[in-house]
């Protein structure tokens, strides 16, 4: 049995999926929100049946109890299904977590310490880890880090040009995020092309509400646009992406507080700041209806992506594949065409009909003569977390079994 409970937790919400790591089949999924508020909400889906209930959910422990109840009520008692592992998505793993990691007390404590670098994410992850380990004490828990895939970047790609002592004292460097997505999409693109990943140079554009680009050489991340935090790089739904750091100093001097700046850059910038909505569909509709503001937002959005594509082509020295993924990348043909327009001289030629096709699954949108294969490849971070968790616990089990066998051999 390879059933994995994948947990994506915040300080007031937990998203979960029950996934068979082999088949990638979803046995169930759900969302628990408003943890700690006077009234919480639990949504559980199994197949085509969805149930919703409201109840006070005091803390993360109560949230896991509610999840166990919701699964049992849907005829999926977790105690009988035989969970192989709980896989926890962790945003910030610092420089030390480069692989999926079995969660021990020490690992959990380190994830909490790393909250210094990810105050919005790691505290909620830690609360969920403590609660989930209490709820499922017999099951191995695995941490899968958004930052891990990018730890192969060379120093010149992750070093910011500031005083090295200040940087060292505060852990300031580029960590990069969306690593699980970049990793699974790069592998799926290689599978689609029928080429070994180690022979490919790829640029992956993860364009969702959060957005980042990654240069991947032979399956290894060599550059990525997000930095110390998931704020740097591309224009996102509500985040600014790249900005002159002088803007922050200027606003601080004009009286903005740190919290106001945080809110401005994380929640009121990007598409929502420029055009009033963080949803690409709304912004496109407004631009098509003649809004100059929405048109400018789209132009800034696409131009920033092209800026990184150019930079990463130079970084890689060539590209075999340019891959679009996540909500915008998978579903929004006009943007893909705006990113690629005029790049024929770089060997990037998209085919208008293939780009407009509503086919699902991995697909090619470049012309047959395009030197660079332009692909749309759906991401699936949860399935990848399930796969990595399963791989770790099954190899751990295999190695402890072989250790036991060796130890029991007559000496
Ligand atoms: P998250 O970063 O929250 O995981 P997703 O990858 O699901 O985000 O992307 C969500 C975004 O994708 C939406 O805000 C919207 O802008 C965009 N999106 C989703 N579906 C479409 C669509 N059919 N056409 C254009 N944009 C879409």
């Amino acid at each position: 049995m390879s059933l994995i409970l994948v947990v994506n937790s915040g300080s007031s919400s937990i998203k979960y999926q029950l996934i068979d790591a082999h088949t990638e089949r979803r046995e169930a999924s759900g969302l628990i929100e408003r943890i700690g508020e006077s009234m919480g909400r639990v949504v559980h889906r199994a197949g085509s049946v969805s149930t919703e209930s409201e109840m006070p959910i005091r803390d993360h422990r109560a949230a896991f109890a509610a999840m166990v109840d919701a699964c049992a009520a849907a005829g999926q008692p977790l105690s009988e299904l035989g969970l192989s592992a709980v896989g926890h998505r962790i945003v910030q793993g610092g420089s030390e977590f480069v692989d999926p990691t079995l969660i021990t007390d020490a690992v959990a404590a380190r994830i909490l310490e790393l909250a210094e670098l990810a105050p919005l994410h790691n505290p909620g992850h830690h609360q969920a880890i403590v609660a989930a380990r209490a709820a499922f004490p017999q099951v191995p828990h695995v941490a899968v880090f958004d930052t891990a895939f990018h730890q192969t970047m060379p120093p010149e790609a992750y070093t910011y040009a500031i005083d090295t002592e200040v940087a060292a004292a505060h852990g300031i460097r580029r960590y990069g995020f969306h690593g699980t997505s970049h990793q699974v999409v790069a592998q799926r693109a290689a599978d689609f092309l029928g080429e070994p990943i180690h022979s490919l140079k790829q640029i992956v554009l993860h364009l969702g509400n959060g957005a980042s680009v990654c240069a991947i050489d032979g399956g290894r991340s060599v550059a990525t646009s997000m930095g110390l935090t998931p704020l740097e790089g591309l224009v996102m739904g509500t985040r600014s992406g790249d900005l002159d750091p002088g803007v922050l100093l200027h606003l601080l001097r004009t009286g903005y507080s740190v919290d106001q700046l945080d809110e401005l850059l994380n929640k009121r910038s990007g598409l929502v700041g420029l055009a009033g909505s963080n949803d690409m569909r709304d912004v496109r509709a407004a631009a098509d209806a003649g809004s100059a503001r929405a048109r400018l937002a789209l132009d800034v959005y696409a131009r920033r992506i092209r800026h990184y594509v150019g930079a990463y082509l130079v970084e890689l020295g060539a590209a075999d594949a340019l891959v679009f993924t996540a909500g915008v990348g998978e579903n929004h043909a006009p943007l893909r065409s705006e990113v690629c327009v005029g790049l024929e001289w770089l060997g990037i030629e998209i085919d208008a009909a293939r780009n407009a096709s509503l086919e699902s699954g991995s697909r090619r949108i470049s012309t047959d003569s395009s030197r660079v294969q332009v692909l749309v490849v759906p991401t699936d971070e949860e399935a990848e977390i399930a796969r990595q968790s399963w791989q770790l616990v099954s190899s751990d089990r295999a190695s402890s079994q072989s250790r036991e066998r060796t130890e029991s051999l007559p000496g």
Side-chain angles (χ1 to χ4, degrees), residues 93-101 143-145 147-153 173 183 388:
S95 322
E96 70 253 49
F97 291 112
V98 299
D99 285 309
T101 303
V144 178
F145 299 91
T147 44
F149 180 61
H150 301 299
Q151 298 310 304
T152 48
M153 285 187 294
R173 48 158 286 182
Q183 185 174 13
Q388 294 188 11

Side-chain angles (χ1 to χ4, degrees), residues 361-382:
S362 299
R363 58 201 187 273
R364 187 192 323 268
I365 58 167
S366 45
T367 61
D368 291 340
S369 58
S370 181
R371 208 165 59 240
V372 179
Q373 308 275 345
V374 186
L375 308 178
V376 175
V377 174
T379 187
D380 193 340
E381 287 163 284
E382 289 78 13

Side-chain angles (χ1 to χ4, degrees), residues 184-201:
V184 68
V185 168
Q187 184 58 56
R188 287 179 173 189
D191 295 344
F192 177 82
L193 295 171
E195 303 280 350
I197 195 166
H198 63 75
S199 71
L200 293 175
K201 291 178 187 289

Side-chain angles (χ1 to χ4, degrees), residues 89 91 145-147 149-150 176-184 206-214 224-226 230 236 239 326 379 381:
R89 175 197 176 216
V91 165
F145 299 91
D146 269 21
T147 44
F149 180 61
H150 301 299
F177 299 88
H178 287 147
T180 311
S181 175
H182 287 300
Q183 185 174 13
V184 68
H206 176 113
L207 310 175
N209 224 333
S212 68
V213 48
C214 185
T224 194
S225 57
M226 282 178 166
M236 312 187 204
R239 290 173 237 161
T379 187
E381 287 163 284

Side-chain angles (χ1 to χ4, degrees), residues 224-273:
T224 194
S225 57
M226 282 178 166
L228 172 78
T229 72
L231 191 50
E232 194 180 353
L234 301 180
V235 176
M236 312 187 204
T238 63
R239 290 173 237 161
S240 63
D242 292 340
L243 196 73
D244 173 1
V247 172
L248 274 82
L249 302 178
H250 179 71
L251 288 174
L252 281 169
R253 287 198 188 102
T254 57
Y256 270 72
S257 69
V258 171
D259 286 345
Q260 283 172 324
L261 277 182
D262 192 327
E263 209 242 343
L264 173 73
L265 298 180
N266 279 300
K267 307 237 170 82
R268 288 198 287 126
S269 297
L271 289 179
V272 81

Side-chain angles (χ1 to χ4, degrees), residues 27 104 132 235 245 289:
E27 302 298 336
T104 58
V235 176

